[in-house]
Amino acid sequence: MKRVLVAYGSTRGGTARLAAMIGEALTEAGLTAVVMPARDVMDLADVDAVIVAGALYANRWHRDARRFVRRHSSPLRALPVWLVSSGPLDDSATRGVIAPTRQVAKLIERVGARGHQTFGGSLATDARGFPASAMARTRAGDWSDVDHVRRWVATIAQQLVAAESR
Ligand SMILES: Cc1cc2nc3c(=O)[nH]c(=O)nc-3n(C[C@H](O)[C@H](O)[C@H](O)COP(=O)(O)O)c2cc1C
């Protein structure tokens, strides 16, 4: 069975939850999912595909996600890879396709990623730190959408399973 690593960079837990959602959807699709913080991944041995999810803060992809891609770029180039960004605090990610930020686009190119997906983010009403606390006054909420995640994971699972049967 194909093993898919879901490595994530998250500051306030939203992207960690999204990564867990992706992991569950992969399992439902018949794949083996290993979900872990990007900074804890030592190597990519025994991994058949990788999804890297990073939170967006002021258009910058989470540092752990960036570092992960740079550190492992050589094995990543040889694997099917998808990058995930999280996420707008509105329904824009479910309404249409959101292009990767410039920084993420460069990393996509660097490892020859097969695709990129933006999912809705989340922000707690009691988020701490500036400017998050100020933003939370008007934009708090959870915009992650499990059906959106499942639909996207199904397209990936299809590609991986098709490759296996060839
Ligand atoms: C200060 C701040 C800046 C943010 N900037 C962006 C952004 O540029 N683009 C975006 O899509 N979401 C942005 N967001 C929303 C976050 O990406 C969203 O809250 C995400 O779920 C955070 O992930 P985390 O909980 O894993 O840290 C921002 C949120 C905060 C608090």
Side-chain angles (χ1 to χ4, degrees):
M1 200 187 284
K2 292 242 168 173
R3 270 168 77 88
V4 185
L5 170 69
V6 186
Y8 62 85
S10 172
T11 300
R12 295 185 168 79
T15 312
R17 285 195 300 279
L18 173 65
M21 240 183 240
I22 292 172
E24 275 166 36
L26 286 165
T27 308
E28 282 167 18
L31 296 152
T32 302
V34 181
V35 181
M36 61 194 285
R39 64 170 175 270
D40 293 348
V41 178
M42 289 301 148
D43 61 62
L44 303 183
D46 305 324
V47 166
D48 301 301
V50 181
I51 297 172
V52 192
L56 284 173
Y57 281 92
N59 274 333
R60 289 173 67 77
W61 211 42
H62 198 282
R63 189 173 152 180
D64 293 351
R66 274 184 348 241
R67 285 194 168 175
F68 173 88
V69 173
R70 293 205 189 101
R71 190 182 318 132
H72 300 285
S73 56
S74 152
L76 286 174
R77 272 195 291 273
L79 289 168
V81 174
W82 288 267
L83 304 190
V84 165
S85 299
S86 141
L89 299 170
D90 55 29
D91 64 356
S92 55
T94 35
R95 278 194 285 104
V97 175
I98 298 179
T101 61
R102 258 181 54 162
Q103 196 182 44
V104 174
K106 277 190 191 156
L107 294 171
I108 289 171
E109 209 167 304
R110 186 173 177 139
V111 297
R114 291 203 184 178
H116 168 266
Q117 179 65 46
T118 303
F119 289 112
S122 64
L123 186 63
T125 45
D126 61 353
R128 287 171 180 235
F130 189 80
S133 52
M135 234 167 114
R137 272 183 232 129
T138 52
R139 317 223 9 219
D142 186 354
W143 295 94
S144 56
D145 178 340
V146 72
D147 290 329
H148 189 204
V149 171
R150 282 205 190 107
R151 283 197 303 275
W152 179 75
V153 166
T155 64
I156 285 175
Q158 227 169 24
Q159 292 182 48
L160 293 173
V161 173
E164 193 165 35
S165 59
R166 269 205 293 270

